[in-house]
Amino acid sequence: MNTRILSALLMVGVLLASCNPTKNATNDLATSLPIETSIDFANINNDRAPVTINPGRFTVKTVTYRLPRVIPGTYSVSDFGKYVDDFKAIDYKGNEMEVSKVDINSWTITNAKQLDKITYLVNDTFDIEITGGIGQDEPFSPGGTNIETNNYVLNLHGFIGYFDSLKNNQYKLDVTAPADFVRTSALQKMSSKTSEDGKNVTASYFAPRYFDITDNPMMYGNLDVEEFHVGDIKIVLSVYSPNKVHTATSLKETIFKMMQAQKQFLGNINATPRYDIYLYLSDGKEESPKGFGALEHHTSTVVVLQEAMDEAALASSMIDVVSHEFFHIVTPLSVHSEDIHYFDYNNPTFSKHLWMYEGVTEYFATLFQLNQGLVEEAEFFNKIMSKIERSKSLNDAMSFTIMSENVLRPPYKDQYLNVYQKGALIGMCIDILMREESNGNRGILSLMKELSNKYGKNKPFEDDKLIDEIVSMTYPSLADFFNTHVIGDIPINYNDFFAKVGLEIAEGKIETNYILMNGAPIVSGDGQKGTIFFTEAVLENSFWAEHGAQPNDVIKTIDGTDVSIQNANQVLQQVFHWKSGQDVEVKLERDGEGIIINTTTTKTYTTGKGIFEKADATDAQKALRKSWLKG
């Protein structure tokens, strides 16, 4: 997850999840029957769901049961065990057995040959979040869980755990919930049974191994669901909007066009017959999730965004967030290391190659929009320039491979967000280098296709050998780049790469945003008065300057909505997503007098660093640029 996050102004950040069974696992069970698990939402106990685990008969004396400490791709500690209450082990006579709690996520049971089942209660994470999981040891919201009257978000790693040596065993999962709830899940459904009183339905699902439990989230409740095909991929879009502000129907066309463009961009990479999108819209209440963005699974993504966004803003955010997650079908689904393939949920090791997993994925999510005509070149270059500036606000002189491998530990964990900034720029530089070396015929997408063909979802690569393999598959110039800027800690001079395609970073007139310029907002707040006002930067924004806005003007209303410190994030997000040609009304107050700006938006500009064509760009450089951006 992404982390890929949306900030107060919906600056997108996100995450992915991916893993496979533990290698060299031994089976401690007397039989190979599936581990039977159940979640009973018909008997909620103080906002906690009862869970039962029936593993079958053990042949060993001692076993340890765990919930994940870390889930793949989040690159932070979640500690799902701390949401478990009233953990009990029951023997075959119905007696409670002695249990030793080893750590926050682990319980050891001696005399395991007598163990019949485990029971416990699970608190959901949404209504007790502090930060939404951003930089904290709590689950990032899209990787969390929700139990409320009208909705269950079932990231199953928050409910179902594993025995150390049994992650390869099959699982049977029963989920009991109200009969009138809509249910969506990509996990294989075996059967369903309605209770005698008709109030509840128990659906039974099958998972080949624990990985499939963690990799197939579900959503239950008063959902709006749309199913459609993009080529030969079935898309299932499930939307929960507590106040019915948005629907799957209203988002369907946006998602269809986006994913159609993604498939066109990817070409013959087609790693999944079905892709699920679960969208939970937070209404901003105290018990609502606070971490906005998405968590990727192999063939699905869970997205949490704000319900208060208007339709255009939500559509724009879904394009940015979901496109990134869908591109993860390339990596790590098709290309991943042993660290991911044999993921240890309790004590994981991490790959050196976050530049590829998250960086290249983010680069594709940015490039495809230009490549497929969804945005213009100016917007694409603005996004690239923004990534350059944000990457330099982090530690730009840190080995990316060392940071990736040590991402849970300081000082590296504080640099994680750079995977979406510098990581994407690393992908861009590799792309330009490959285009230059091949006369425009090969780029990083073709490289990822070759790696996908060589490995695939069932064959991991050796982490320490990947870069050498890439160099052997491509060109010596990539070895210099990796050694200097990825393994090494020398900051990238991006002008060296832009020059190859007839571009340069320079001062000039650049298109900007109506509320955010050069990565900083043009408004501030007065905590004592509870007001929002323009800063000096408003004079450098052509739209506001043309309409007479001045520093210290208090923003009273925007399109009829009163603006205050309390609701500024929600209201200004709408402004962040304004598009040219939109009718707007803004009421200001200056020295006690009211000022009304009633107009239609035009593109807005400022002066700053941007990416521009060089005055002496050659035809060969322009041709290389075309193959880079449109090839």
Side-chain angles (χ1 to χ4, degrees), residues 4-22:
R4 189 169 164 74
I5 309 160
L6 297 181
S7 72
L9 291 175
L10 288 186
M11 304 310 296
V12 178
V14 164
L15 301 185
L16 88 106
S18 149
C19 65
N20 255 325
T22 303

Side-chain angles (χ1 to χ4, degrees), residues 359-379:
V360 170
T361 301
E362 175 68 5
Y363 173 61
F364 285 163
T366 306
L367 177 64
F368 98 97
Q369 296 185 52
L370 174 63
N371 182 275
Q372 294 297 308
L374 301 183
V375 300
E376 297 177 356
E377 276 194 10
E379 185 173 346

